[in-house]
Amino acid sequence: MSDRFARDEPVGDLEVVATFTGPMPTGVSVSHTGRIFVNFPKWGDEVTATVAEVRNGETHPYPDQAWNSPSGDDDPEAFVSVQSVVVDPADRLWVLDTGSPMLQPTRPGGPKLVRVDLDTNKVAQRIVFPADVALPTSYLNDVRFDLRRGPAGTAFITDSAARGAENAIIVVDLASGEAWRRLRDHPSTKAEPLSDFHPLVEGREFMKRPAEGPPTPVDMGSDGIAISADGSRLYYCPLASRRLHSVSVDSLVDRGLDDAQVAATVVDEGDRGSASDGLESDDAGRIYLTAYEQNAILRRHPDGHLETIAHDPRMLWPDTMSVATDGHLYFTANQLHRQPNYQGGVDRRQRPYLLFRVPIDAGPVLLR
């Protein structure tokens, strides 16, 4: 009888690429030759490898187990707790290490950006951030690249530190390793208060709910990040907001400008249709937004209109996306909102976690 009733319809030709029965993944990135890399932050699950390559449906520590076996939270020569892996326009893998397992305060040596040569599967570069770049309260979330800026290119990182800490966009000169903070504590990088942003996930109020004590608002700041196809604008969004913002990349990299001058280039791009975790962009000038309130992925066109390219009840908290050269958008769905700290201390996640892809007939942004 129930089959006769109307129901929510899925959108998009979704394909499950891989499943994960161990710790929950966040980041995914696909190389130009089709290799798939994922990461597993240390948020409470048992994590034996925080970075892995997916081969034949199985995960393998990457680049090896030694790099996934830190001596402590301040180990500069091993991954401590990785939030994001990103293949750059030159087909090299960059690993963004928060240095912050369980969202604990960072210590110098832990927060870093590491480049792995995919031809040799060896670490080729380490940029360890000093304490005035990766603050004790920092949570380095995601990264994008423009290899045309500077002698070796420039990276842009979101710091999604929780409310009360200083959110920012971190700019990194890949040649020298020098890094600096931009939009420090700017309103566009901050979580919105509950009076302005009241999220619902699976139809339920999404709040931090410890085993004991009252619920409190989700308070993560600048999280998703994407660079425009021409490299002129950097898009970003707080986790706790439905607004999308952009800033001039020229201003971010110009050390002669002060904070006020950089902030003057920020544009409020409007309501993005949902709260989002990850952002991504393609070579056709479109921005992709995970929509964790709707189990969906949205695509924003240059004129600002939105379309849904994927929607499915299995897409429980779409997290991170990667536009691949095979014309697909890959993304993880990790049930983040079902973790114990959002569910009164009860773990409501159901394994396996999923890695999907959906055709988009576009390619990655290759600024090189």
Side-chain angles (χ1 to χ4, degrees):
M1 178 70 70
S2 62
D3 289 340
R4 299 169 53 191
F5 299 149
R7 63 182 65 192
D8 193 7
E9 295 183 357
V11 176
D13 186 14
L14 280 184
E15 176 186 352
V16 175
V17 176
T19 60
F20 307 101
T21 58
M24 61 180 287
T26 53
V28 60
S29 196
V30 182
S31 78
H32 301 175
T33 60
R35 296 172 68 181
I36 301 172
F37 301 93
V38 293
N39 66 267
F40 307 91
K42 296 177 182 178
W43 287 346
D45 294 330
E46 181 179 353
V47 176
T48 58
T50 190
V51 179
E53 182 176 3
V54 178
R55 301 197 301 265
N56 299 318
E58 297 183 349
T59 56
H60 301 266
Y62 192 81
D64 53 38
Q65 188 58 58
W67 265 94
N68 284 278
S69 302
S71 61
D73 294 352
D74 57 352
D75 191 340
E77 297 184 355
F79 303 140
V80 176
S81 179
V82 171
Q83 176 67 25
S84 183
V85 288
V86 176
V87 172
D88 75 6
D91 205 26
R92 306 172 300 183
L93 183 72
W94 291 87
V95 177
L96 184 60
D97 191 348
T98 68
S100 178
M102 300 298 294
L103 306 181
Q104 295 301 303
T106 67
R107 293 191 289 164
K112 53 188 168 289
L113 186 62
V114 178
R115 174 166 62 86
V116 184
D117 186 332
L118 295 182
D119 291 330
T120 63
N121 298 312
K122 300 293 184 182
V123 169
Q125 184 179 3
R126 289 181 302 119
I127 299 173
V128 179
F129 298 118
D132 62 344
V133 173
L135 311 179
T137 54
S138 286
Y139 192 81
L140 307 183
N141 198 295
D142 207 352
V143 59
R144 294 294 181 267
F145 299 89
D146 185 343
L147 300 185
R148 307 168 309 170
R149 293 180 181 271
T154 303
F156 307 92
I157 298 169
T158 48
D159 183 344
S160 62
R163 192 188 309 278
E166 182 185 278
N167 296 113
I169 304 294
I170 298 171
V171 184
V172 187
D173 180 338
L174 297 178
S176 65
E178 184 182 8
W180 55 96
R181 298 174 69 84
R182 289 298 205 185
L183 299 180
R184 296 177 299 180
D185 237 19
H186 188 269
S188 67
T189 68
K190 305 295 288 183
E192 292 190 35
L194 196 62
S195 58
D196 297 328
F197 171 69
H198 208 123
L200 299 175
V201 184
E202 290 194 84
R204 302 177 182 90
E205 186 181 52
F206 178 49
M207 301 271 283
K208 292 192 292 185
R209 298 180 185 278
E212 298 181 1
T216 57
V218 175
D219 54 5
M220 300 296 281
S222 52
D223 186 317
I225 187 172
I227 195 164
S228 64
D230 64 1
S232 66
R233 305 291 297 179
L234 191 75
Y235 293 85
Y236 57 96
C237 62
L239 183 75
S241 171
R242 298 189 187 98
R243 310 300 295 182
L244 178 68
H245 288 85
S246 72
V247 64
S248 162
V249 175
D250 285 342
S251 74
L252 292 174
V253 302
D254 187 346
R255 300 300 302 275
L257 299 183
D258 62 25
D259 288 347
Q261 290 171 306
V262 176
T265 74
V266 171
V267 173
D268 184 340
E269 302 284 352
D271 190 316
R272 62 183 187 265
S274 174
S276 302
D277 194 322
L279 298 181
E280 185 57 292
S281 55
D282 69 20
D283 57 6
R286 301 170 298 192
I287 303 296
Y288 296 81
L289 313 99
T290 62
Y292 65 71
E293 293 183 277
Q294 290 88 14
N295 302 337
I297 289 178
L298 308 178
R299 180 162 61 191
R300 184 182 186 271
H301 289 256
D303 64 2
H305 88 266
L306 297 167
E307 64 174 322
T308 300
I309 66 162
H311 167 61
D312 191 282
R314 298 170 297 171
M315 289 172 56
L316 294 168
W317 199 280
D319 192 314
T320 301
M321 300 172 287
S322 176
V323 174
T325 57
D326 65 7
H328 287 82
L329 180 75
Y330 290 71
F331 62 93
T332 54
N334 59 19
Q335 305 172 51
L336 181 149
H337 62 291
R338 291 184 174 185
Q339 291 181 99
N341 50 319
Y342 302 113
Q343 300 291 336
V346 178
D347 189 351
R348 299 190 183 279
R349 298 172 297 171
Q350 297 180 29
R351 292 171 175 83
Y353 309 110
L354 302 175
L355 172 62
F356 290 102
R357 72 175 186 175
V358 62
I360 58 171
D361 192 28
V365 172
L366 299 177
L367 300 172
R368 60 186 177 190

